[in-house]
Structures are given as C-alpha cells and as structure tokens.
Amino acid sequence: MLLEGIETLLVLAEEGTMSRTGSRLYISQSAVSKRIAKLEATLGTKLIIPSGRLIKLTPDAHALIKNVGPSFNEIRGLIFEHQNLDDQSIITLDCSETLVAGYFTNALGTYFQKDKYISITTHHTPVIVENVQSGKASIGFCAGHLPAQYSFVAEHLMDEPFKLVFNQPLTALPKAIVVNDLKNPSNISQAAVLQKLGITPLMEMDSYTASAQLALAGMAPALVPQSIVKTLSIDDKYCFEFAELAELTRPIHLIYRQNSYKLPRVKNLVETIVGAVPKAV
C-alpha cells in the first residue's frame, strides 16, 4: 500500500488534479484521495493542499518526491524486467514525435504486419527517459542530450543536423530566431551556442512543426531539425545552413533496459529501428 501511495503522489505531482491522476492510473477520483490520505497517515505529515481545481504539494511532499521518486522508478523498472512478454503482450515504444514522423513511419508500418501488439506513445526526451527507467516503456527513441547518469542501454544512432527555415532568403546569420524550449534538459546545450553567436531566441515553442510553420509564414527564421524538414517536405529554397551553426546537432538515441533486450520481440523491434534510421542525413 505504501508503494501504491507513492506512485499516486508522483502522478499527482505531474498532473495537478485528482481527476487527471485517476485517469492516468485507471482509478476513480475518490480512490486517488483515499490513497493520498493513507500515505499521509502512514508518514504522519500533510502532502497536499487543495487550491481551487488544482492540488498543491506541501514542502514535505516535494522532499519525498525528490528523495524517493528516482528509487521508486528504478524499483518499478526492475519489476518490469522480470515480467514475461508472450506473443500478445503489448510492447510500448515511447518516441520523440519528430523522429517517428521523420524516419520510422514506413518501417513501423511494415513491422506492424508481423507484430500487431506494439503501442507507440510520444513524449519529450526527459519523459521518455523516465518511462524507460521505470518500465512504463520497453524502448525509447529519443532526440537530444540524455542525463549524465542513467541505468539503461543507450545506442547512439546519429547526430541530427539543424537547418534554419524561412520564407525569405538568408544571406547572413539572423539576429533572432524561433527555437524550441531551451529549458528542456535535452535542448539546453543549444542556448550556449546561440548566446556565443549573439543570436536571441525570439520565441521558445513546444513543437518544431509549429516553429517551422511560423517561419514559412514569415514570422521569423526557425531552427528546425532535419526530421521535420523531411516530414513537412520543406523545399530546399527555404532551408539555410551556416558554418557557425554546424555544432548545433542533436544526438539520436535508442534506449532500453539491458534485460529487456534479451526478449526476442524487444530485440527484433530494436534492430528494426536501428536499421530504419539513416546513419547520416
């Protein structure tokens, strides 16, 4: 019951409301409340404070999550490794949306004809890392820098280049561009490069597709990875490269737990993804 309560608190911290937490855990809102109440009683401290429709966490709750969260996810991952995957067990592939669209749709369509028990979810890299570590996902296909420490296998597939996209000719580096969220740990290295070049992040979007569309509409040049250029079939005349931006690449990794790879279905899917991703673009 203690682990159940901690899991509920971790999800509540992400979702912010009892109803969304219940939806994530496939339990009722009242069941969420009961789990949190039992956890508070066990620990002898207050963990949540109602704030309108949202739930605020107390300092004790934040401390608990910081201290216990990583270990809890690792325990959950170890439990996952001891589960057997039969021919009809669902294998979850958690991906960066841009990578699925840019490199993997055709290969996945073909693979799905052989193994229909595949589920694809899309998240940003920090969430993909967390889901693989906790066993929520069997495989992660992610873009950007990984954390310094992790407990899974990470296959580096390539370094994906970026291009500046704009609907007008660019003969020199622009002073301001549209970028994706530089606070995202997987993108944060871009900030130092742009600062060194004197380029101001005009807007920080949550979607490279949105960034590209704004650039093509004439809002401002946008920094866009090659996978998005490919997915949106952006004409070469709207794509620009500068030697100063050559170091702005993002590493593409396939991540999975070591013991998961021993399962034939997981191994086959890993090898399919590796074969589908170009070694250079």
Side-chain angles (χ1 to χ4, degrees), residues 68 77 164 183-184 191 202 247 252:
V68 176
L164 282 177
K183 295 181 290 295
N184 184 322
L202 184 62
E247 63 181 302
I252 306 303

Side-chain angles (χ1 to χ4, degrees), residues 59-178:
D60 284 342
H62 284 295
L64 179 64
I65 290 170
K66 180 180 179 180
N67 292 328
V68 176
S71 298
F72 178 83
N73 283 332
E74 181 60 23
I75 291 171
R76 187 159 52 186
L78 290 171
I79 293 172
F80 166 78
E81 287 184 352
H82 286 84
Q83 294 177 341
N84 290 321
L85 288 177
D86 59 34
D87 290 343
Q88 295 185 359
S89 297
I90 297 296
I91 294 177
T92 298
L93 173 62
D94 202 7
C95 309
S96 164
E97 180 182 5
T98 59
L99 298 183
V100 175
Y103 301 123
F104 194 46
T105 49
N106 291 336
L108 186 61
T110 301
Y111 189 87
F112 194 69
Q113 301 305 312
K114 298 183 296 182
D115 188 345
K116 297 185 181 298
Y117 297 96
I118 305 293
S119 175
I120 297 179
T121 55
T122 56
H123 292 103
H124 293 311
T125 292
V127 177
I128 296 173
V129 167
E130 179 184 327
N131 287 344
V132 171
Q133 289 187 146
S134 68
K136 293 179 183 177
S138 302
I139 304 170
F141 187 28
C142 51
H145 293 274
L146 298 176
Q149 296 182 336
Y150 49 81
S151 56
F152 47 75
V153 176
E155 285 195 46
H156 177 245
L157 303 184
M158 68 171 181
D159 289 313
E160 184 180 36
F162 282 83
K163 294 189 177 182
L164 282 177
V165 172
F166 200 35
N167 71 343
Q168 303 168 32
L170 291 176
T171 57
L173 277 176
K175 296 297 183 183
I177 62 174
V178 178

Side-chain angles (χ1 to χ4, degrees), residues 172-188:
L173 277 176
K175 296 297 183 183
I177 62 174
V178 178
V179 297
N180 260 42
D181 183 10
L182 297 180
K183 295 181 290 295
N184 184 322
S186 61
N187 297 336
I188 199 166

